[in-house]
Amino acid sequence: VRDVADPAAAGTSIWPSGRLVGDATEARPHRSITALCSQGPVSVLNVQSRGTLSHPGFLTKVFAFLEAHDVLAELVSTSVTNVSVVLAKGTPSAKVHAVQAAMAPWGTVSATDDRAVLSCVGSQMSHHVGLAADITDALAGAGVNLEMLSQSCSEINTSVVISNSDVTKALAHLHARFF
């Protein structure tokens, strides 16, 4: 745990045994995922452009539109013709659905409310072959449907979007698997 006002300062390591270590740089058991967190409820906006080929400027158009309407994107998953965007917690449902309606001429647009973002975080996650499979396997074992998956480019954060009603059991299964 580090002080947000002074992140360079020595922190405190909290061990599963409850033993506290004053210097966060001391050796600790190897574990790739070191934290689980969730945020919800949130809304997800899905936009699929018309056609099956890449549409130049499609993503730029989507994000410029969201910015112009003061809608904050917190998590994104994209392909050539699709983009799924988790909107900031607290975005009013009426605003989400107004944006959905305004984007309708661009293609197929849907909005889903009452979703949650569940994130697995750890500095040792990078280049850990099979870790994403372990995460999805743990969630499948809990009967949790993944609606979206996104990984940071640094590979230290893998986030999934699930139904907000599944957060408790998803966290319990992930905790049992990784801690």
Side-chain angles (χ1 to χ4, degrees):
V1 179
R2 295 200 185 263
D3 182 345
V4 294
D6 188 11
T12 301
S13 292
I14 303 171
W15 295 59
S17 65
R19 183 173 60 114
L20 299 180
V21 180
D23 181 2
T25 62
E26 287 186 35
R28 63 183 177 136
H30 175 74
R31 184 179 340 165
S32 56
I33 294 175
T34 55
L36 301 171
C37 57
S38 66
Q39 174 181 279
V42 295
S43 296
V44 178
L45 186 68
N46 297 294
V47 185
Q48 180 176 356
S49 72
R50 299 204 186 283
T52 57
L53 299 175
S54 176
H55 179 89
F58 168 68
L59 294 175
T60 302
K61 186 176 180 180
V62 169
F63 290 107
F65 185 88
L66 293 175
E67 181 180 20
H69 291 83
D70 198 30
V71 176
L72 179 63
E74 292 203 344
L75 185 70
V76 177
S77 182
T78 65
S79 70
V80 174
T81 59
N82 297 327
V83 61
S84 296
V85 181
V86 173
L87 305 178
K89 185 176 178 178
T91 302
S93 185
K95 189 173 202 175
V96 173
H97 295 285
V99 167
Q100 174 188 358
M103 289 181 160
W106 303 354
T108 304
V109 183
S110 64
T112 310
D113 299 320
D114 202 31
R115 296 297 175 254
V117 176
L118 191 151
S119 297
C120 300
V121 183
S123 63
Q124 299 299 313
M125 289 175 61
S126 179
H127 306 294
H128 186 129
V129 176
L131 186 58
D134 290 343
I135 293 168
T136 58
D137 182 61
L139 294 172
V144 174
N145 183 49
L146 304 183
E147 298 177 19
M148 184 173 148
L149 186 140
S150 183
Q151 181 175 335
S152 68
C153 62
S154 63
E155 298 182 44
I156 63 167
N157 179 347
T158 299
S159 296
V160 297
V161 174
I162 62 176
S163 173
N164 196 49
S165 63
D166 287 337
V167 169
T168 301
K169 71 178 174 178
L171 285 171
H173 273 74
L174 286 169
H175 193 273
R177 172 72 64 96
F178 295 106
F179 298 94

